[in-house]
């Protein structure tokens, strides 16, 4: 059964999860870093076509396989697109042996109590049904924590787990992502509060359920080891959060049992202007070093 094979790979295989899920607001920045300026497109459709080309180039690159890339998180339009005439999620699994995930949140609400909750998702059930039909294994959704505010952090984690239960109801694996902003002065305190709130929610989840967690690299190494070891957690992955790839890899390597799920740190050094041979070489080196940092932990 495909889902059982996917679950085994996500839970056990060495490697990391690629985050290829930049959405509307972050797409122009992702394209700029890739060497594609705003004057290269005149509307959203052209912009999304260009980012799809970039993602397809990454996915088709020789090093981008399940040997080191356990899974990949897609943006909704990427899921709806195709690579070489094959739906993207199907291509990932059947051609690259990479498990497909889908970003499902619709962005962030305004800040309150030092955090940004997710915006309402009234069409989530319909999106999840489409994801299941397209062979998606799991989902990802992001909130942001900007201060060590106990009330705010509790609200973030409660919302994440409420939506997580809705996702589990569709037979999908939710990646819960309460990102702690890496530049805040009270980051370490925020992380301690976050850990306690996640443990509360995990203990209330039910013995037959699991989730995944995507967390900012902690100030204190191995702070999240209780989450790595928790029976309700399939896997803990880390976002790069604005750190350079070198910084992110160094911090990741200090955390036992956590693997990477990098976005900007994955595409760092890639350019639309590169010949395929140069592009493939840079990406192969990147995949190697992120994979090694994930194993080192």
């Amino acid at each position: 059964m495909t889902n059982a094979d996917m679950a085994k790979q996500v839970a056990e295989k060495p490697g990391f999860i690629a985050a290829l899920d930049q959405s509307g607001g972050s797409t122009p920045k992702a394209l700029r870093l890739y060497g594609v300026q705003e004057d290269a497109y005149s509307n959203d459709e052209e912009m999304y076509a260009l980012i799809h080309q970039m993602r397809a180039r990454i996915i088709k690159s020789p090093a981008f396989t399940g040997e080191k890339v356990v899974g990949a998180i897609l943006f909704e339009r990427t899921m709806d697109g195709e690579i070489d005439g094959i739906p993207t999620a199907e291509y990932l699994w059947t051609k690259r042996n990479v498990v497909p995930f889908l970003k499902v949140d619709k962005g962030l609400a305004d800040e309150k109590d030092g955090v940004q909750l997710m915006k309402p998702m009234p069409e989530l059930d319909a999106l999840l049904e489409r994801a299941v039909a397209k062979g998606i294994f799991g989902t990802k959704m992001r909130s942001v924590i900007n201060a060590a505010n106990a009330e705010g952090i509790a609200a973030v984690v409660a919302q994440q787990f409420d939506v997580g239960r809705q996702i589990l109801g569709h037979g999908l694996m939710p990646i819960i992502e309460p990102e702690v902003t890496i530049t805040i002065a009270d980051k370490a305190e925020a992380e301690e509060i976050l850990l306690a709130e996640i443990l509360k929610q995990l203990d209330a989840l039910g013995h037959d359920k699991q989730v995944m967690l995507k967390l900012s690299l902690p100030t204190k190494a191995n702070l999240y080891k209780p989450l790595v070891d928790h029976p309700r957690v399939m896997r803990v992955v880390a976002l790069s959060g604005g750190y350079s790839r070198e910084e992110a890899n160094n911090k990741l390597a200090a955390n036992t049992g956590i693997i990477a799920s990098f976005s900007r740190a994955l595409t760092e050094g890639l350019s639309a202007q590169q010949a395929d041979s140069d592009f493939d070489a840079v990406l192969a080196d990147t995949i190697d070093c992120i994979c090694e940092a994930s194993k080192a932990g």
Side-chain angles (χ1 to χ4, degrees), residues 54-91:
M54 181 188 90
R55 290 165 177 157
R57 192 182 189 192
I58 290 169
I59 289 166
K60 291 172 68 175
S61 191
F64 196 94
T65 73
E67 182 185 349
K68 293 178 180 174
V69 184
V70 172
I73 305 168
L74 306 176
F75 176 47
E76 184 179 344
R77 282 175 177 256
T78 310
M79 177 187 76
D80 290 335
E82 297 181 343
I83 299 175
D84 292 349
I86 300 170
T88 306
E90 181 184 338
Y91 187 96

Side-chain angles (χ1 to χ4, degrees), residues 27 30-32 34-57 272:
T27 298
L31 283 171
R32 278 197 304 275
Y34 183 55
V36 177
Q37 303 305 317
E38 279 89 339
D39 59 8
Y41 50 89
S42 54
N43 56 46
D44 281 355
E45 289 306 313
E46 292 178 4
M47 177 184 74
Y48 286 123
L50 287 167
I51 198 78
H52 186 70
Q53 287 174 21
M54 181 188 90
R55 290 165 177 157
R57 192 182 189 192

Side-chain angles (χ1 to χ4, degrees), residues 102 117 155 161 227 232 273-274 296:
L102 175 68
L117 297 173
F161 274 83
L227 304 178
R232 303 282 75 77
Q273 289 73 39
Q274 286 166 327

